[in-house]
Amino acid sequence: MLTHGGSASSSEPRLYRSLTERPLDSAIFVFLAPVLEGIRVLDLSTIVAGPTASMILSDFGADIIKVERTGGGEDGRAMGPFRGEWGAFFVALNRGKRSITLDLAKPEGREVVLRLASGCDVFLENFRGGKAAALGLDEQAVRARKPDIVYASLSAYGPSGPDYTKPGYDAVLQARTGIMSVTGTGDGHPMRTGVSILDMTTGTWMALGIVAALLERQRSGKGQRVDASLFQTGIMFMAYHLVYRQFLGLDPQPQGARHKAFAPYGSLPTGDGQIMLGISSDRQFHRLSSALGHEEWATDARFCKNPDRVANVDELENLIAAVLRTQPTSHWVALFDEHDIANDPIQSPGQVLQDPQAAALGLFSQMNLTGEQPILLPRLPIGLSLTPPAFQGPPPGVGANGRAILHEAGYSNAEIDELIRLGVCGIPKDQPGEPA
């Protein structure tokens, strides 16, 4: 059940301040537990999409038990760059989780998973199609141990269909779903987006589906299956372009930073960098023309109406760029802000980390890494006034919580030692034994 108070296995409710900035004498303080406190998730997912889903659930207070391979742990740990033992991909997506390593090739390892699942609310996996069943960890097997569990399956191509068993990754599915056909400039090789847009968004959809399933279980007492896939997410991203194709009978082409419906709308060079402009109406174009000292553009037959500007976008952008190159980006940002024109500099990651708007919103929190200097990580991009999401802890070391997790599932020290002897579970030597 979803709970709003403490649970036997959780910490005391925390003190949260309203996300709305207020003077100190009118600040609102509330004592509320994280919204998913008391929910336990058994997470067998790897790399980006599944870990994104469980990271979201963790920030909302769920207890995430991360099952990793014995030896080096999940593949995401090996994806650099590195700071000490910590890989950038793993650190970005695995905060606040607990780790246990198991060899799922051994029947004893699979039995540990099923035993752990019997004490969990959610089972999350992103196996290639058919592998969960081959391992004996499919929905039927897991639900036999916990009838009301939410079984969440995240895949590349979805839970059925001719490509159900195909391997797939973010970039591959960007190609399949048409995203790469409308990305870039159209010159040279097709381009994928520079971020794992399908992985992370599919993880977000999965987290939403899990929360919805938990709410339904609270109402009906029944668990259900939740499916999400990179393929489905990519098709959803293409909604506008798919409608465009049906309306015109033509496939949309890549436009770089431009927009097919508006002009000027895109990136333009300045004296020291690039700036992005968004002009979506004739009224806004009049303001832009005035700000740049060329009011005559607003009455020029080539540019006065938006369809005309779209038809003559190359000529228009050349005229604007000639002006923009005379001053640095900061000059134009200040001027366009003064004239209420949508604009922003094209920033690097280093600049984003120093962005004053991000600082004002508190979008980054410091995360400590065992044995290393702390880093900044983005908070979830959502605010709740009473139960805001928050980091629940650092990313775990490989198998760092294995003994404690097994104790919670009812294993004795002798049973755990036997699992270690058989190579089923890897427990770091410094983990304490069973509490008295």
Side-chain angles (χ1 to χ4, degrees):
M1 297 286 287
L2 286 173
T3 59
H4 296 281
S7 66
S9 63
S10 62
S11 59
E12 289 296 315
R14 270 159 262 186
L15 176 64
Y16 289 113
R17 180 176 175 178
S18 169
L19 292 182
T20 305
E21 289 297 322
R22 303 167 183 267
L24 187 60
D25 59 357
S26 64
I28 293 178
F29 291 88
V30 291
F31 286 93
L32 286 177
V35 69
L36 292 183
E37 187 170 281
I39 296 297
R40 180 168 287 181
V41 179
L42 189 60
D43 178 13
L44 279 69
S45 67
T46 63
I47 310 295
V48 178
T52 296
S54 56
M55 178 191 70
I56 293 169
L57 300 175
S58 172
D59 278 10
F60 280 115
D63 175 19
I64 311 297
I65 297 174
K66 184 176 181 67
V67 177
E68 304 188 62
R69 285 200 299 263
T70 51
E74 72 129 301
D75 289 343
R77 290 185 182 271
M79 300 172 71
F82 296 91
R83 178 173 288 183
E85 68 177 278
W86 301 104
F89 266 77
F90 186 84
V91 168
L93 300 172
N94 287 282
R95 59 181 180 248
K97 304 176 186 180
R98 299 193 292 157
S99 172
I100 182 172
T101 59
L102 295 170
D103 185 351
L104 300 186
K106 292 182 167 65
E108 296 89 349
R110 299 193 291 273
E111 174 57 30
V112 172
V113 169
L114 291 172
R115 187 162 167 178
L116 292 175
S118 69
C120 290
D121 302 281
V122 179
F123 184 96
L124 172 62
E125 55 89 359
N126 68 343
F127 293 125
R128 182 174 171 177
K131 184 176 180 180
L135 289 171
L137 298 175
D138 57 352
E139 181 184 5
Q140 182 178 2
V142 173
R143 200 170 297 286
R145 300 294 184 97
K146 184 70 182 297
D148 67 345
I149 201 165
V150 172
Y151 188 96
S153 180
L154 196 154
S155 61
Y157 290 93
S160 62
D163 295 325
Y164 167 60
T165 61
K166 280 187 64 170
Y169 294 95
D170 187 288
V172 174
L173 270 299
Q174 285 192 39
R176 176 67 177 272
T177 58
I179 292 174
M180 288 178 64
S181 77
V182 295
T183 303
T185 63
D187 298 324
H189 293 293
M191 297 176 65
R192 67 173 180 86
T193 62
V195 295
S196 298
I197 188 169
L198 291 184
D199 278 333
M200 296 198 73
T201 307
T202 303
T204 304
W205 282 118
M206 174 56 79
L208 176 61
I210 288 171
V211 171
L214 289 170
L215 286 169
E216 172 57 28
R217 191 184 69 166
Q218 186 177 48
R219 181 169 58 183
S220 68
K222 296 180 180 180
Q224 63 183 294
R225 181 185 178 98
V226 181
D227 281 293
S229 73
L230 277 63
F231 183 73
Q232 291 165 273
T233 298
I235 295 295
M236 184 68 178
F237 269 126
M238 287 291 290
Y240 163 77
H241 296 288
L242 296 174
V243 173
Y244 179 106
R245 176 64 172 81
Q246 294 170 82
F247 278 16
L248 292 185
L250 300 171
D251 287 327
Q253 299 300 307
Q255 296 288 301
R258 287 176 174 175
H259 196 294
K260 290 182 176 300
F262 310 113
Y265 195 111
S267 61
L268 291 165
T270 67
D272 64 353
Q274 295 272 336
I275 193 168
M276 184 75 184
L277 290 178
I279 303 298
S280 62
S281 70
D282 297 337
R283 185 173 59 258
Q284 293 172 12
F285 181 66
H286 291 174
R287 292 203 299 270
L288 175 67
S289 301
S290 177
L292 294 176
H294 286 274
E295 290 86 351
E296 72 278 7
W297 291 346
T299 56
D300 191 310
R302 297 168 298 171
F303 311 135
C304 62
K305 296 297 181 182
N306 184 63
D308 303 318
R309 294 194 297 276
V310 172
N312 296 287
V313 64
D314 289 336
E315 190 173 359
L316 176 59
E317 285 189 352
N318 287 336
L319 291 171
I320 295 173
V323 178
L324 295 181
R325 287 193 181 97
T326 64
Q327 296 289 343
T329 303
S330 59
H331 170 86
W332 298 117
V333 169
L335 180 67
F336 293 154
D337 286 351
E338 180 182 341
H339 284 78
D340 199 27
I341 295 166
N343 78 98
D344 261 318
I346 297 178
Q347 297 195 130
S348 68
Q351 291 171 316
V352 172
L353 285 168
Q354 302 298 323
D355 192 299
Q357 181 66 15
L361 295 175
L363 296 188
F364 297 105
S365 288
Q366 182 172 289
M367 175 61 69
N368 295 319
L369 296 177
T370 303
E372 301 295 333
Q373 292 294 316
I375 63 168
L376 295 178
L377 285 178
R379 295 171 47 225
L380 292 188
I382 186 172
L384 280 74
S385 62
L386 298 183
T387 55
F391 296 0
Q392 303 300 311
V398 180
N401 313 100
R403 190 173 288 272
I405 291 168
L406 290 172
H407 283 153
E408 292 166 8
Y411 286 88
S412 67
N413 270 337
E415 290 174 312
I416 295 172
D417 291 341
E418 179 65 7
L419 291 173
I420 296 171
R421 187 189 71 78
L422 293 172
V424 172
C425 182
I427 304 288
K429 296 183 183 300
D430 59 352
Q431 285 190 21
E434 186 172 14

